[in-house]
Amino acid sequence: MKGPAPFDELASALEKAKATTSKKEKVATLAEYLKGLAPEEAQVAARLATGKTSERGSKDEAQVGYSTILDSIKEVTGASSKEVSAAYLRHGDLGEVAEELLSSKKAQTLFAEPLTLADVEVASSKLRSSKGSGATARRRAVVKSLILRATPVEGKYLVKALTGEMRTGLVTGLLEEAISQAFSAPREEVARAHMVLGDIGLLAKTVAEGKVGEVRIEPFRPVNFMLAEPMASASEIAEHFEKEVYAEYKYDGVRAQVHRRGGETRVYSRRLEDITTSFPEVVKALSGVKQDFILDGEIVPFAEGRPLPFQLLQRRLRRMEGFAEAAAKAPVNFFAFDILLRGRKELVGMALSERRRQLREILAGAEVPMAGSMVVKSEAEIRSVFDESRALGYEGLVVKDPGSVYTMGKRGSGWVKLKEELDTLDVVIVAAEYGHGKRARVISDYTFAVRDGGELKTVGKAYSGLTDQEIGEMTAKLKKITLKDFGYRRSVTPEVVLEVAFDSIQKSGRHDSGYALRFPRIKRIRTDKSLEDIDTLKRVEEIFSSQKLKIEG
Ligand code: AMP
């Protein structure tokens, strides 16, 4: 029998994949490597290769901040702060810093047992579970013990995985392909299983076990949500579909998947976290349904027939106060708009028109409304439902093709969204500054970026839109995730997502995207979104060219 898989084989495979720009070669390299692994090892390797250290939906992250890693590197290599800073300026990548400093490490660790994948997993699980007082010291000890045993290349990929910044060009799609190649499983089956499992590690394990064909949607294992593509106007939407479609109100709340099996009901957020305890009314409202199900919909703060401001929900989600108090301030309604599973039958592959029929049937015995919707076709009809939605206090429309299937985790063109006239972008904060005057003691100016392939490109800076309380909380958060502190300014780990509104987009040399938002203002902090959900540079370019058309003609 083969011994446990050494970590250095993963590090070498990643190093080789990183070195080539050919996607095909990256895939082949990883496939060749994965092939030799047992299912549990493939699970750990696939997860680490994508810079993840915990299962999707898990609230317990093993990811480690820069300062913990820097301290560990210093302790292990004997490098001074100055040497570390200089190395960071040279590489701009903490993994490469680890590699360089480990190569020139003065004292070599003799007789250290080589690291195995299993060792790294054990360490990750310690990181995931270390919380509360003394956690920082415990986490540092775990990281240090890993780095102590690592060769330079291993150190590089350990640090990359622990910070979630791989920069190998091995995006999840390529890894999915590598998994399918490694275990000779049909690409389409693997893609489908990936959508259902929503986790690259679980996918690798399942495929390695030869069980890819057995993957089913099941209660209590949430799947990624279907998303809507943004469109700029009613006319664009009418042209896009050119047929009768459903125009549904776009509710401004928290996207939720509600699962039922036997007598138990659970609610999951867009990030697939279990949020059941925050919303007992949703569970209660569905108690009349006697079948198993998975529903998709939006939880909206709602009272006396009208939606309330979204902000009311944030306190509740963060459980800042007792539940009774929160529920009194922000009563909610769950508006259901889709059904993925009924009894034991998967419905995702059926047309939306059929899913809606089934949804109506199953909700007959419940106190849960279906999302308001109209059948429309022309631009004028879409416009009129849009205005109606806005007048009722909703955000706009999600327009859906009655023939479309439910595509998990994808922004399919089967669903498109129309918000208010002005566009908004979801962006991530990459740097921040202290404010002026009465805001001199709080971090209130945020530089934000959009995605461009694997990179982040800045598009603007915003300092309005948040309440004093939100700014206070943001200050604490940004201090915690600071990468580099330049005094008045700091760079931060890109994880806080903002939805920003703006008047227009201009070309600009000020930001590295080449564009700048004019009069950006923060509409809200999107705690429900993560780095992968932010808008792209392509989207910025699209808005820029569409507004140019408007101005010119
Ligand atoms: P956005 O959050 O602006 O990216 O818009 C997409 C979100 O709108 C979805 O993820 C849902 O949370 C929300 N939404 C509200 N109403 C609907 C609806 N009727 N159908 C689909 N999504 C909706």
Side-chain angles (χ1 to χ4, degrees):
M1 231 191 84
K2 273 186 55 183
F7 182 70
D8 81 344
E9 289 181 6
L10 172 62
S12 319
L14 292 174
E15 183 78 346
K16 200 170 155 203
K18 181 174 187 281
T20 170
T21 51
S22 150
K23 288 184 180 160
K24 220 171 132 191
E25 272 177 47
K26 285 183 199 281
V27 169
T29 304
L30 256 287
E32 190 53 39
Y33 164 68
L34 288 170
K35 221 185 236 177
L37 299 180
E40 280 73 22
E41 294 169 341
Q43 175 171 16
V44 177
R47 209 192 270 161
L48 290 174
T50 44
K52 299 203 172 77
T53 41
S54 59
E55 229 174 84
R56 64 91 192 247
S58 163
K59 284 196 186 108
D60 305 326
E61 271 296 335
Q63 243 149 44
V64 181
Y66 270 41
S67 67
T68 303
I69 297 208
L70 288 172
D71 288 347
S72 309
I73 296 178
K74 278 192 253 174
E75 278 184 50
V76 172
T77 62
S80 67
S81 298
K82 231 170 133 188
E83 284 168 311
V84 174
S85 302
Y88 189 77
L89 283 178
R90 268 196 302 283
H91 297 288
D93 178 290
L94 210 50
E96 286 173 21
V97 171
E99 182 181 34
E100 179 185 317
L101 296 175
L102 282 170
S103 318
S104 56
K105 170 162 82 160
K106 290 152 199 133
Q108 291 296 328
T109 4
L110 294 174
F111 313 117
E113 282 278 313
L115 274 176
T116 64
L117 278 180
D119 292 334
V120 177
E121 175 50 25
V122 168
S124 305
S125 106
K126 279 191 198 146
L127 289 174
R128 284 193 288 272
S129 61
S130 71
K131 282 188 205 136
S133 73
T136 316
R138 280 201 302 279
R139 290 166 77 86
R140 191 178 310 137
V142 173
V143 175
K144 190 181 156 192
S145 72
L146 279 177
I147 295 183
L148 200 56
R149 290 170 60 191
T151 64
V153 180
E154 286 179 334
K156 171 170 163 181
Y157 286 98
L158 272 175
V159 167
K160 279 171 174 282
L162 289 176
T163 52
E165 295 170 11
M166 295 307 288
R167 302 201 178 98
T168 54
L170 260 179
V171 290
T172 338
L174 293 185
L175 205 64
E176 183 185 299
E177 214 171 313
I179 291 170
S180 123
Q181 258 183 39
F183 305 104
S184 314
R187 186 75 177 82
E188 260 171 30
E189 259 182 30
V190 174
R192 186 186 171 282
H194 192 188
M195 285 203 281
V196 174
L197 296 170
D199 180 86
I200 196 80
L202 274 184
L203 178 74
K205 174 166 177 276
T206 310
V207 178
E209 286 169 337
K211 292 190 178 156
V212 65
E214 294 167 31
V215 175
R216 299 275 174 276
I217 296 179
E218 285 175 14
F220 308 153
R221 190 174 64 199
V223 300
N224 288 315
F225 290 81
M226 178 162 178
L227 302 171
E229 196 172 297
M231 284 201 180
S233 65
S235 72
E236 191 182 345
I237 295 180
E239 259 172 53
H240 171 74
F241 288 114
E242 282 196 311
K243 64 174 181 182
E244 287 197 334
V245 287
Y246 303 134
E248 286 180 5
Y249 295 153
K250 185 172 189 299
Y251 296 92
D252 198 7
V254 172
R255 183 79 177 268
Q257 225 170 76
V258 187
H259 291 223
R260 157 78 57 77
R261 180 156 64 200
E264 200 182 341
T265 310
R266 313 226 124 250
V267 185
Y268 299 92
S269 72
R270 196 181 144 127
R271 293 177 124 170
L272 312 184
E273 288 170 352
D274 189 327
I275 51 170
T276 315
T277 52
S278 294
F279 298 108
E281 309 101 304
V282 176
V283 175
K284 188 160 167 272
L286 283 159
S287 61
V289 182
K290 297 299 171 221
Q291 258 181 326
D292 290 357
F293 58 73
I294 298 179
L295 306 182
D296 183 7
E298 188 95 355
I299 299 175
V300 187
F302 200 87
E304 292 162 18
R306 275 188 299 132
L308 304 170
F310 172 82
Q311 277 71 9
L312 287 171
L313 274 190
Q314 296 206 322
R315 295 179 70 78
R316 191 159 159 170
L317 274 171
R318 282 184 273 152
R319 288 188 220 132
M320 290 168 64
E321 51 208 354
F323 175 73
E325 202 188 323
K329 273 193 218 148
V332 297
N333 248 15
F334 174 61
F335 289 89
F337 46 72
D338 222 311
I339 178 163
L340 282 54
L341 183 86
R342 181 177 184 187
R344 305 196 54 187
K345 195 161 174 53
E346 268 184 31
L347 307 182
V348 286
M350 291 179 180
L352 175 61
S353 53
E354 174 59 20
R355 299 201 305 277
R356 297 219 323 178
R357 197 183 65 71
Q358 304 239 12
L359 179 62
R360 196 167 300 118
E361 268 178 29
I362 205 167
L363 291 181
E367 291 155 39
V368 165
M370 267 175 81
S373 102
M374 297 276 253
V375 175
V376 294
K377 185 170 177 202
S378 67
E379 177 189 344
E381 285 166 340
I382 296 173
R383 184 83 251 155
S384 116
V385 190
F386 178 83
D387 292 342
E388 185 183 295
S389 157
R390 298 285 299 170
L392 289 170
Y394 302 120
E395 219 192 353
L397 296 180
V398 182
V399 182
K400 303 179 179 177
D401 178 350
S404 60
V405 299
Y406 193 95
T407 48
M408 293 168 268
K410 292 230 171 93
R411 222 171 270 288
S413 50
W415 290 13
V416 304
K417 62 186 178 197
L418 180 63
K419 292 204 217 173
E420 57 201 291
E421 296 290 58
L422 269 185
D423 267 301
T424 66
L425 284 172
D426 292 330
V427 298
V428 71
I429 301 181
V430 291
E433 284 167 35
Y434 283 95
H436 303 283
K438 86 178 187 14
R439 294 197 164 162
R441 280 166 197 284
V442 285
I443 303 177
S444 62
D445 295 12
Y446 314 112
T447 301
F448 50 79
V450 289
R451 263 184 316 122
D452 180 24
E455 289 177 65
L456 293 173
K457 298 272 170 71
T458 54
V459 281
K461 200 170 150 184
Y463 30 83
S464 72
L466 296 185
T467 63
D468 286 344
Q469 189 188 340
E470 282 173 319
I471 294 173
E473 287 166 15
M474 189 70 109
T475 301
K477 169 84 189 173
L478 294 174
K479 282 186 178 163
K480 237 164 104 187
I481 60 170
T482 294
L483 294 178
K484 209 159 183 213
D485 188 346
F486 304 96
Y488 75 102
R489 183 181 165 85
R490 59 188 63 222
S491 59
V492 299
T493 307
E495 62 173 61
V496 180
V497 177
L498 301 177
E499 182 176 336
V500 291
F502 49 90
D503 285 3
S504 60
I505 296 180
Q506 292 179 318
K507 288 244 185 209
S508 160
R510 237 167 121 177
H511 297 289
D512 58 11
S513 63
Y515 294 94
L517 304 190
R518 248 173 85 79
F519 301 120
R521 49 213 172 259
I522 301 166
K523 279 197 68 184
R524 64 161 107 134
I525 307 167
R526 297 294 306 242
T527 45
D528 59 326
K529 291 199 171 180
S530 52
L531 185 56
E532 292 116 63
D533 300 317
I534 65 171
D535 279 299
T536 57
L537 181 58
K538 187 163 160 267
R539 176 86 195 121
V540 171
E541 281 160 355
E542 278 169 12
I543 301 175
F544 177 75
S545 24
S546 75
Q547 83 190 11
K548 218 167 116 204
L549 279 180
K550 265 183 228 149
I551 294 167
E552 285 167 5

